[in-house]
PDB file of all heavy atoms in Angstrom:
ATOM      1  N   LEU H  34     -22.943   6.553  -3.877  1.00 36.00           N
ATOM      2  CA  LEU H  34     -24.426   6.471  -3.968  1.00 36.00           C
ATOM      3  C   LEU H  34     -24.852   5.778  -5.242  1.00 36.00           C
ATOM      4  O   LEU H  34     -24.440   6.025  -6.298  1.00 36.00           O
ATOM      5  CB  LEU H  34     -25.035   7.873  -3.955  1.00 36.00           C
ATOM      6  CG  LEU H  34     -26.555   7.915  -4.154  1.00 36.00           C
ATOM      7  CD1 LEU H  34     -27.255   7.305  -2.971  1.00 36.00           C
ATOM      8  CD2 LEU H  34     -26.949   9.361  -4.378  1.00 36.00           C
ATOM      9  N   SER H  35     -25.773   4.829  -5.040  1.00 36.00           N
ATOM     10  CA  SER H  35     -26.379   4.077  -6.185  1.00 36.00           C
ATOM     11  C   SER H  35     -27.607   4.859  -6.613  1.00 36.00           C
ATOM     12  O   SER H  35     -28.583   4.969  -5.958  1.00 36.00           O
ATOM     13  CB  SER H  35     -26.781   2.716  -5.755  1.00 36.00           C
ATOM     14  OG  SER H  35     -27.396   2.049  -6.818  1.00 36.00           O
ATOM     15  N   LEU H  36     -27.544   5.399  -7.829  1.00 39.00           N
ATOM     16  CA  LEU H  36     -28.631   6.205  -8.351  1.00 39.00           C
ATOM     17  C   LEU H  36     -29.596   5.333  -9.176  1.00 39.00           C
ATOM     18  O   LEU H  36     -29.189   4.370  -9.750  1.00 39.00           O
ATOM     19  CB  LEU H  36     -28.114   7.325  -9.308  1.00 39.00           C
ATOM     20  CG  LEU H  36     -27.076   8.243  -8.619  1.00 39.00           C
ATOM     21  CD1 LEU H  36     -26.549   9.231  -9.624  1.00 39.00           C
ATOM     22  CD2 LEU H  36     -27.722   9.002  -7.441  1.00 39.00           C
ATOM     23  N   CYS H  37     -30.843   5.718  -9.167  1.00 36.00           N
ATOM     24  CA  CYS H  37     -31.851   5.012  -9.950  1.00 36.00           C
ATOM     25  C   CYS H  37     -31.906   5.448 -11.391  1.00 36.00           C
ATOM     26  O   CYS H  37     -32.923   5.449 -12.023  1.00 36.00           O
ATOM     27  CB  CYS H  37     -33.183   5.145  -9.282  1.00 36.00           C
ATOM     28  SG  CYS H  37     -33.277   4.228  -7.731  1.00 36.00           S
ATOM     29  N   VAL H  38     -30.771   6.040 -11.867  1.00 38.00           N
ATOM     30  CA  VAL H  38     -30.654   6.353 -13.276  1.00 38.00           C
ATOM     31  C   VAL H  38     -29.302   5.901 -13.722  1.00 38.00           C
ATOM     32  O   VAL H  38     -28.255   6.306 -13.122  1.00 38.00           O
ATOM     33  CB  VAL H  38     -30.782   7.885 -13.523  1.00 38.00           C
ATOM     34  CG1 VAL H  38     -30.498   8.222 -15.011  1.00 38.00           C
ATOM     35  CG2 VAL H  38     -32.149   8.366 -13.126  1.00 38.00           C
ATOM     36  N   GLN H  39     -29.182   5.028 -14.690  1.00 39.00           N
ATOM     37  CA  GLN H  39     -27.946   4.488 -15.200  1.00 39.00           C
ATOM     38  C   GLN H  39     -27.995   4.545 -16.673  1.00 39.00           C
ATOM     39  O   GLN H  39     -29.065   4.293 -17.303  1.00 39.00           O
ATOM     40  CB  GLN H  39     -27.733   3.023 -14.768  1.00 39.00           C
ATOM     41  CG  GLN H  39     -27.564   2.892 -13.262  1.00 39.00           C
ATOM     42  CD  GLN H  39     -26.161   2.848 -12.892  1.00 39.00           C
ATOM     43  OE1 GLN H  39     -25.258   3.070 -13.714  1.00 39.00           O
ATOM     44  NE2 GLN H  39     -25.844   2.536 -11.604  1.00 39.00           N
ATOM     45  N   SER H  40     -26.868   4.846 -17.378  1.00 38.00           N
ATOM     46  CA  SER H  40     -26.866   4.813 -18.797  1.00 38.00           C
ATOM     47  C   SER H  40     -27.176   3.443 -19.315  1.00 38.00           C
ATOM     48  O   SER H  40     -27.718   3.249 -20.405  1.00 38.00           O
ATOM     49  CB  SER H  40     -25.454   5.209 -19.304  1.00 38.00           C
ATOM     50  OG  SER H  40     -24.462   4.415 -18.769  1.00 38.00           O
ATOM     51  N   GLY H 173     -23.089   2.826  -9.850  1.00 80.00           N
ATOM     52  CA  GLY H 173     -23.095   4.031 -10.716  1.00 80.00           C
ATOM     53  C   GLY H 173     -21.701   4.484 -11.083  1.00 80.00           C
ATOM     54  O   GLY H 173     -21.553   5.495 -11.788  1.00 80.00           O
ATOM     55  N   THR H 252     -35.222   7.254 -20.509  1.00 86.00           N
ATOM     56  CA  THR H 252     -34.092   7.751 -21.336  1.00 86.00           C
ATOM     57  C   THR H 252     -33.413   8.879 -20.570  1.00 86.00           C
ATOM     58  O   THR H 252     -33.980   9.527 -19.699  1.00 86.00           O
ATOM     59  CB  THR H 252     -34.611   8.230 -22.666  1.00 86.00           C
ATOM     60  OG1 THR H 252     -35.427   9.402 -22.473  1.00 86.00           O
ATOM     61  CG2 THR H 252     -35.414   7.152 -23.394  1.00 86.00           C
ATOM     62  N   ALA H 253     -32.190   9.211 -20.995  1.00 84.00           N
ATOM     63  CA  ALA H 253     -31.534  10.303 -20.359  1.00 84.00           C
ATOM     64  C   ALA H 253     -32.218  11.588 -20.562  1.00 84.00           C
ATOM     65  O   ALA H 253     -32.168  12.486 -19.695  1.00 84.00           O
ATOM     66  CB  ALA H 253     -30.112  10.431 -20.985  1.00 84.00           C
ATOM     67  N   GLN H 255     -35.337  12.127 -20.456  1.00 90.00           N
ATOM     68  CA  GLN H 255     -36.521  12.227 -19.616  1.00 90.00           C
ATOM     69  C   GLN H 255     -36.105  12.674 -18.142  1.00 90.00           C
ATOM     70  O   GLN H 255     -36.948  12.997 -17.363  1.00 90.00           O
ATOM     71  CB  GLN H 255     -37.256  10.898 -19.535  1.00 90.00           C
ATOM     72  CG  GLN H 255     -37.962  10.559 -20.815  1.00 90.00           C
ATOM     73  CD  GLN H 255     -38.567   9.188 -20.728  1.00 90.00           C
ATOM     74  OE1 GLN H 255     -37.880   8.173 -20.637  1.00 90.00           O
ATOM     75  NE2 GLN H 255     -39.888   9.121 -20.774  1.00 90.00           N
ATOM     76  N   VAL H 256     -34.851  12.662 -17.831  1.00 91.00           N
ATOM     77  CA  VAL H 256     -34.379  13.040 -16.487  1.00 91.00           C
ATOM     78  C   VAL H 256     -34.260  14.592 -16.420  1.00 91.00           C
ATOM     79  O   VAL H 256     -33.592  15.199 -17.247  1.00 91.00           O
ATOM     80  CB  VAL H 256     -33.055  12.428 -16.170  1.00 91.00           C
ATOM     81  CG1 VAL H 256     -32.646  12.808 -14.734  1.00 91.00           C
ATOM     82  CG2 VAL H 256     -33.174  10.890 -16.269  1.00 91.00           C
ATOM     83  N   LYS H 257     -34.921  15.203 -15.457  1.00 93.00           N
ATOM     84  CA  LYS H 257     -34.939  16.700 -15.344  1.00 93.00           C
ATOM     85  C   LYS H 257     -34.439  17.061 -13.904  1.00 93.00           C
ATOM     86  O   LYS H 257     -34.448  16.245 -12.986  1.00 93.00           O
ATOM     87  CB  LYS H 257     -36.355  17.221 -15.550  1.00 93.00           C
ATOM     88  CG  LYS H 257     -37.030  16.761 -16.807  1.00 93.00           C
ATOM     89  CD  LYS H 257     -36.215  17.265 -18.101  1.00 93.00           C
ATOM     90  CE  LYS H 257     -37.004  16.843 -19.330  1.00 93.00           C
ATOM     91  NZ  LYS H 257     -36.287  17.259 -20.539  1.00 93.00           N
ATOM     92  N   THR H 258     -33.968  18.314 -13.782  1.00 95.00           N
ATOM     93  CA  THR H 258     -33.640  18.814 -12.477  1.00 95.00           C
ATOM     94  C   THR H 258     -34.879  19.009 -11.633  1.00 95.00           C
ATOM     95  O   THR H 258     -36.029  19.125 -12.209  1.00 95.00           O
ATOM     96  CB  THR H 258     -32.908  20.185 -12.594  1.00 95.00           C
ATOM     97  OG1 THR H 258     -33.682  21.084 -13.276  1.00 95.00           O
ATOM     98  CG2 THR H 258     -31.563  19.954 -13.325  1.00 95.00           C
ATOM     99  N   GLY H 259     -34.696  19.027 -10.320  1.00 96.00           N
ATOM    100  CA  GLY H 259     -35.867  19.183  -9.426  1.00 96.00           C
ATOM    101  C   GLY H 259     -35.939  18.106  -8.347  1.00 96.00           C
ATOM    102  O   GLY H 259     -35.043  17.362  -8.134  1.00 96.00           O
ATOM    103  N   ALA H 261     -36.729  14.749  -6.326  1.00 94.00           N
ATOM    104  CA  ALA H 261     -36.677  13.304  -6.742  1.00 94.00           C
ATOM    105  C   ALA H 261     -36.599  12.478  -5.434  1.00 94.00           C
ATOM    106  O   ALA H 261     -36.503  12.994  -4.371  1.00 94.00           O
ATOM    107  CB  ALA H 261     -35.458  13.032  -7.631  1.00 94.00           C
ATOM    108  N   THR H 262     -36.661  11.196  -5.631  1.00 93.00           N
ATOM    109  CA  THR H 262     -36.600  10.225  -4.531  1.00 93.00           C
ATOM    110  C   THR H 262     -35.515   9.233  -4.814  1.00 93.00           C
ATOM    111  O   THR H 262     -35.363   8.737  -5.928  1.00 93.00           O
ATOM    112  CB  THR H 262     -37.940   9.474  -4.369  1.00 93.00           C
ATOM    113  OG1 THR H 262     -38.968  10.398  -4.065  1.00 93.00           O
ATOM    114  CG2 THR H 262     -37.904   8.470  -3.269  1.00 93.00           C
ATOM    115  N   ILE H 263     -34.704   8.940  -3.779  1.00 93.00           N
ATOM    116  CA  ILE H 263     -33.744   7.876  -3.879  1.00 93.00           C
ATOM    117  C   ILE H 263     -34.109   6.736  -2.965  1.00 93.00           C
ATOM    118  O   ILE H 263     -34.831   6.913  -1.926  1.00 93.00           O
ATOM    119  CB  ILE H 263     -32.317   8.342  -3.638  1.00 93.00           C
ATOM    120  CG1 ILE H 263     -32.138   8.807  -2.181  1.00 93.00           C
ATOM    121  CG2 ILE H 263     -31.867   9.385  -4.622  1.00 93.00           C
ATOM    122  CD1 ILE H 263     -30.707   9.132  -1.778  1.00 93.00           C
ATOM    123  N   VAL H 277     -34.572  14.015  -2.312  1.00 95.00           N
ATOM    124  CA  VAL H 277     -33.362  14.714  -2.771  1.00 95.00           C
ATOM    125  C   VAL H 277     -33.771  15.749  -3.857  1.00 95.00           C
ATOM    126  O   VAL H 277     -34.950  15.766  -4.254  1.00 95.00           O
ATOM    127  CB  VAL H 277     -32.357  13.713  -3.348  1.00 95.00           C
ATOM    128  CG1 VAL H 277     -31.914  12.644  -2.383  1.00 95.00           C
ATOM    129  CG2 VAL H 277     -32.855  13.041  -4.641  1.00 95.00           C
ATOM    130  N   GLU H 278     -32.836  16.484  -4.255  1.00 96.00           N
ATOM    131  CA  GLU H 278     -33.032  17.436  -5.354  1.00 96.00           C
ATOM    132  C   GLU H 278     -31.937  17.158  -6.401  1.00 96.00           C
ATOM    133  O   GLU H 278     -30.795  17.125  -6.050  1.00 96.00           O
ATOM    134  CB  GLU H 278     -32.995  18.895  -4.873  1.00 96.00           C
ATOM    135  CG  GLU H 278     -33.203  19.903  -6.005  1.00 96.00           C
ATOM    136  CD  GLU H 278     -33.036  21.345  -5.557  1.00 96.00           C
ATOM    137  OE1 GLU H 278     -32.758  21.534  -4.325  1.00 96.00           O
ATOM    138  OE2 GLU H 278     -33.161  22.221  -6.351  1.00 96.00           O
ATOM    139  N   ILE H 279     -32.391  17.017  -7.683  1.00 95.00           N
ATOM    140  CA  ILE H 279     -31.415  16.906  -8.813  1.00 95.00           C
ATOM    141  C   ILE H 279     -31.050  18.343  -9.107  1.00 95.00           C
ATOM    142  O   ILE H 279     -31.886  19.067  -9.640  1.00 95.00           O
ATOM    143  CB  ILE H 279     -32.005  16.153  -9.967  1.00 95.00           C
ATOM    144  CG1 ILE H 279     -32.423  14.770  -9.573  1.00 95.00           C
ATOM    145  CG2 ILE H 279     -30.995  16.097 -11.135  1.00 95.00           C
ATOM    146  CD1 ILE H 279     -33.136  13.985 -10.679  1.00 95.00           C
ATOM    147  N   VAL H 280     -29.809  18.701  -8.847  1.00 95.00           N
ATOM    148  CA  VAL H 280     -29.356  20.100  -8.974  1.00 95.00           C
ATOM    149  C   VAL H 280     -28.855  20.353 -10.416  1.00 95.00           C
ATOM    150  O   VAL H 280     -29.077  21.423 -10.969  1.00 95.00           O
ATOM    151  CB  VAL H 280     -28.279  20.467  -7.945  1.00 95.00           C
ATOM    152  CG1 VAL H 280     -27.768  21.875  -8.173  1.00 95.00           C
ATOM    153  CG2 VAL H 280     -28.839  20.274  -6.574  1.00 95.00           C
ATOM    154  N   ARG H 281     -28.144  19.386 -10.950  1.00 94.00           N
ATOM    155  CA  ARG H 281     -27.516  19.569 -12.264  1.00 94.00           C
ATOM    156  C   ARG H 281     -27.412  18.290 -13.025  1.00 94.00           C
ATOM    157  O   ARG H 281     -27.249  17.210 -12.442  1.00 94.00           O
ATOM    158  CB  ARG H 281     -26.118  20.169 -12.075  1.00 94.00           C
ATOM    159  CG  ARG H 281     -25.316  20.389 -13.332  1.00 94.00           C
ATOM    160  CD  ARG H 281     -23.934  20.957 -13.064  1.00 94.00           C
ATOM    161  NE  ARG H 281     -23.163  21.034 -14.266  1.00 94.00           N
ATOM    162  CZ  ARG H 281     -21.891  21.462 -14.350  1.00 94.00           C
ATOM    163  NH1 ARG H 281     -21.270  21.785 -13.183  1.00 94.00           N
ATOM    164  NH2 ARG H 281     -21.226  21.520 -15.483  1.00 94.00           N
ATOM    165  N   LEU H 282     -27.594  18.328 -14.314  1.00 93.00           N
ATOM    166  CA  LEU H 282     -27.386  17.186 -15.208  1.00 93.00           C
ATOM    167  C   LEU H 282     -26.168  17.397 -16.043  1.00 93.00           C
ATOM    168  O   LEU H 282     -25.922  18.507 -16.486  1.00 93.00           O
ATOM    169  CB  LEU H 282     -28.619  16.981 -16.078  1.00 93.00           C
ATOM    170  CG  LEU H 282     -29.966  16.717 -15.378  1.00 93.00           C
ATOM    171  CD1 LEU H 282     -31.060  16.694 -16.382  1.00 93.00           C
ATOM    172  CD2 LEU H 282     -29.917  15.443 -14.544  1.00 93.00           C
ATOM    173  N   TYR H 283     -25.355  16.350 -16.274  1.00 91.00           N
ATOM    174  CA  TYR H 283     -24.154  16.422 -17.028  1.00 91.00           C
ATOM    175  C   TYR H 283     -24.371  15.806 -18.375  1.00 91.00           C
ATOM    176  O   TYR H 283     -25.108  14.871 -18.534  1.00 91.00           O
ATOM    177  CB  TYR H 283     -22.994  15.784 -16.304  1.00 91.00           C
ATOM    178  CG  TYR H 283     -22.610  16.451 -14.991  1.00 91.00           C
ATOM    179  CD1 TYR H 283     -23.226  16.020 -13.832  1.00 91.00           C
ATOM    180  CD2 TYR H 283     -21.749  17.506 -14.938  1.00 91.00           C
ATOM    181  CE1 TYR H 283     -22.857  16.655 -12.571  1.00 91.00           C
ATOM    182  CE2 TYR H 283     -21.396  18.174 -13.765  1.00 91.00           C
ATOM    183  CZ  TYR H 283     -22.003  17.705 -12.582  1.00 91.00           C
ATOM    184  OH  TYR H 283     -21.652  18.282 -11.408  1.00 91.00           O
ATOM    185  N   GLY H 284     -23.604  16.356 -19.387  1.00 86.00           N
ATOM    186  CA  GLY H 284     -23.758  15.850 -20.732  1.00 86.00           C
ATOM    187  C   GLY H 284     -22.706  14.811 -21.121  1.00 86.00           C
ATOM    188  O   GLY H 284     -22.014  14.263 -20.222  1.00 86.00           O
ATOM    189  N   GLU H 287     -19.063  14.684 -19.883  1.00 81.00           N
ATOM    190  CA  GLU H 287     -18.797  14.235 -18.520  1.00 81.00           C
ATOM    191  C   GLU H 287     -19.155  12.721 -18.459  1.00 81.00           C
ATOM    192  O   GLU H 287     -20.154  12.396 -17.808  1.00 81.00           O
ATOM    193  CB  GLU H 287     -19.540  15.048 -17.517  1.00 81.00           C
ATOM    194  CG  GLU H 287     -19.166  16.466 -17.484  1.00 81.00           C
ATOM    195  CD  GLU H 287     -17.927  16.703 -16.646  1.00 81.00           C
ATOM    196  OE1 GLU H 287     -17.398  15.741 -16.067  1.00 81.00           O
ATOM    197  OE2 GLU H 287     -17.481  17.889 -16.536  1.00 81.00           O
ATOM    198  N   THR H 289     -18.175  10.154 -16.896  1.00 73.00           N
ATOM    199  CA  THR H 289     -18.096   9.416 -15.589  1.00 73.00           C
ATOM    200  C   THR H 289     -19.085   9.912 -14.565  1.00 73.00           C
ATOM    201  O   THR H 289     -19.106   9.347 -13.467  1.00 73.00           O
ATOM    202  CB  THR H 289     -16.662   9.553 -14.976  1.00 73.00           C
ATOM    203  OG1 THR H 289     -16.361  10.908 -14.713  1.00 73.00           O
ATOM    204  CG2 THR H 289     -15.620   8.944 -15.929  1.00 73.00           C
ATOM    205  N   ARG H 290     -19.978  10.864 -14.897  1.00 80.00           N
ATOM    206  CA  ARG H 290     -21.014  11.265 -13.965  1.00 80.00           C
ATOM    207  C   ARG H 290     -22.194  11.764 -14.749  1.00 80.00           C
ATOM    208  O   ARG H 290     -22.046  12.308 -15.820  1.00 80.00           O
ATOM    209  CB  ARG H 290     -20.518  12.340 -13.001  1.00 80.00           C
ATOM    210  CG  ARG H 290     -19.957  13.605 -13.618  1.00 80.00           C
ATOM    211  CD  ARG H 290     -19.432  14.499 -12.493  1.00 80.00           C
ATOM    212  NE  ARG H 290     -18.771  15.693 -13.057  1.00 80.00           N
ATOM    213  CZ  ARG H 290     -18.330  16.701 -12.314  1.00 80.00           C
ATOM    214  NH1 ARG H 290     -18.463  16.645 -10.989  1.00 80.00           N
ATOM    215  NH2 ARG H 290     -17.737  17.739 -12.883  1.00 80.00           N
ATOM    216  N   ASN H 291     -23.389  11.592 -14.132  1.00 84.00           N
ATOM    217  CA  ASN H 291     -24.606  11.893 -14.822  1.00 84.00           C
ATOM    218  C   ASN H 291     -25.327  13.072 -14.193  1.00 84.00           C
ATOM    219  O   ASN H 291     -26.011  13.829 -14.893  1.00 84.00           O
ATOM    220  CB  ASN H 291     -25.545  10.700 -14.780  1.00 84.00           C
ATOM    221  CG  ASN H 291     -24.965   9.451 -15.428  1.00 84.00           C
ATOM    222  OD1 ASN H 291     -24.728   8.469 -14.781  1.00 84.00           O
ATOM    223  ND2 ASN H 291     -24.664   9.542 -16.699  1.00 84.00           N
ATOM    224  N   MET H 292     -25.267  13.225 -12.873  1.00 87.00           N
ATOM    225  CA  MET H 292     -26.032  14.230 -12.205  1.00 87.00           C
ATOM    226  C   MET H 292     -25.372  14.663 -10.863  1.00 87.00           C
ATOM    227  O   MET H 292     -24.583  13.920 -10.261  1.00 87.00           O
ATOM    228  CB  MET H 292     -27.462  13.742 -11.937  1.00 87.00           C
ATOM    229  CG  MET H 292     -27.581  12.630 -10.991  1.00 87.00           C
ATOM    230  SD  MET H 292     -29.300  12.096 -10.745  1.00 87.00           S
ATOM    231  CE  MET H 292     -29.694  11.500 -12.366  1.00 87.00           C
ATOM    232  N   LEU H 293     -25.824  15.790 -10.399  1.00 90.00           N
ATOM    233  CA  LEU H 293     -25.436  16.281  -9.093  1.00 90.00           C
ATOM    234  C   LEU H 293     -26.663  16.316  -8.215  1.00 90.00           C
ATOM    235  O   LEU H 293     -27.662  16.941  -8.583  1.00 90.00           O
ATOM    236  CB  LEU H 293     -24.841  17.695  -9.200  1.00 90.00           C
ATOM    237  CG  LEU H 293     -24.405  18.400  -7.916  1.00 90.00           C
ATOM    238  CD1 LEU H 293     -23.314  17.636  -7.187  1.00 90.00           C
ATOM    239  CD2 LEU H 293     -23.983  19.819  -8.150  1.00 90.00           C
ATOM    240  N   LEU H 294     -26.595  15.695  -7.061  1.00 90.00           N
ATOM    241  CA  LEU H 294     -27.710  15.643  -6.107  1.00 90.00           C
ATOM    242  C   LEU H 294     -27.462  16.432  -4.856  1.00 90.00           C
ATOM    243  O   LEU H 294     -26.322  16.528  -4.419  1.00 90.00           O
ATOM    244  CB  LEU H 294     -27.985  14.189  -5.682  1.00 90.00           C
ATOM    245  CG  LEU H 294     -28.479  13.185  -6.715  1.00 90.00           C
ATOM    246  CD1 LEU H 294     -28.738  11.832  -6.092  1.00 90.00           C
ATOM    247  CD2 LEU H 294     -29.706  13.652  -7.468  1.00 90.00           C
ATOM    248  N   ARG H 295     -28.524  16.975  -4.318  1.00 92.00           N
ATOM    249  CA  ARG H 295     -28.507  17.582  -2.986  1.00 92.00           C
ATOM    250  C   ARG H 295     -29.454  16.829  -2.087  1.00 92.00           C
ATOM    251  O   ARG H 295     -30.642  16.647  -2.429  1.00 92.00           O
ATOM    252  CB  ARG H 295     -28.914  19.018  -3.031  1.00 92.00           C
ATOM    253  CG  ARG H 295     -28.949  19.724  -1.663  1.00 92.00           C
ATOM    254  CD  ARG H 295     -29.437  21.146  -1.675  1.00 92.00           C
ATOM    255  NE  ARG H 295     -28.466  22.022  -2.430  1.00 92.00           N
ATOM    256  CZ  ARG H 295     -28.750  22.651  -3.518  1.00 92.00           C
ATOM    257  NH1 ARG H 295     -29.965  22.565  -4.070  1.00 92.00           N
ATOM    258  NH2 ARG H 295     -27.846  23.438  -4.102  1.00 92.00           N
ATOM    259  N   ILE H 308     -24.372  12.100   1.526  1.00 83.00           N
ATOM    260  CA  ILE H 308     -24.067  10.881   0.777  1.00 83.00           C
ATOM    261  C   ILE H 308     -22.738  10.326   1.257  1.00 83.00           C
ATOM    262  O   ILE H 308     -21.711  11.042   1.198  1.00 83.00           O
ATOM    263  CB  ILE H 308     -23.988  11.148  -0.763  1.00 83.00           C
ATOM    264  CG1 ILE H 308     -25.385  11.656  -1.222  1.00 83.00           C
ATOM    265  CG2 ILE H 308     -23.593   9.838  -1.487  1.00 83.00           C
ATOM    266  CD1 ILE H 308     -25.356  12.128  -2.683  1.00 83.00           C
TER     267      ILE H 308
END
Side-chain angles (χ1 to χ4, degrees):
L34 174 68
S35 175
L36 303 178
C37 291
V38 176
Q39 295 265 7
S40 59
T252 65
Q255 290 175 297
V256 182
K257 308 296 182 182
T258 57
T262 299
I263 63 170
V277 302
E278 180 184 359
I279 302 176
V280 177
R281 178 180 175 184
L282 300 175
Y283 295 93
E287 295 278 358
T289 61
R290 56 182 176 176
N291 303 114
M292 65 180 66
L293 176 65
L294 294 183
R295 176 185 293 119
I308 297 173

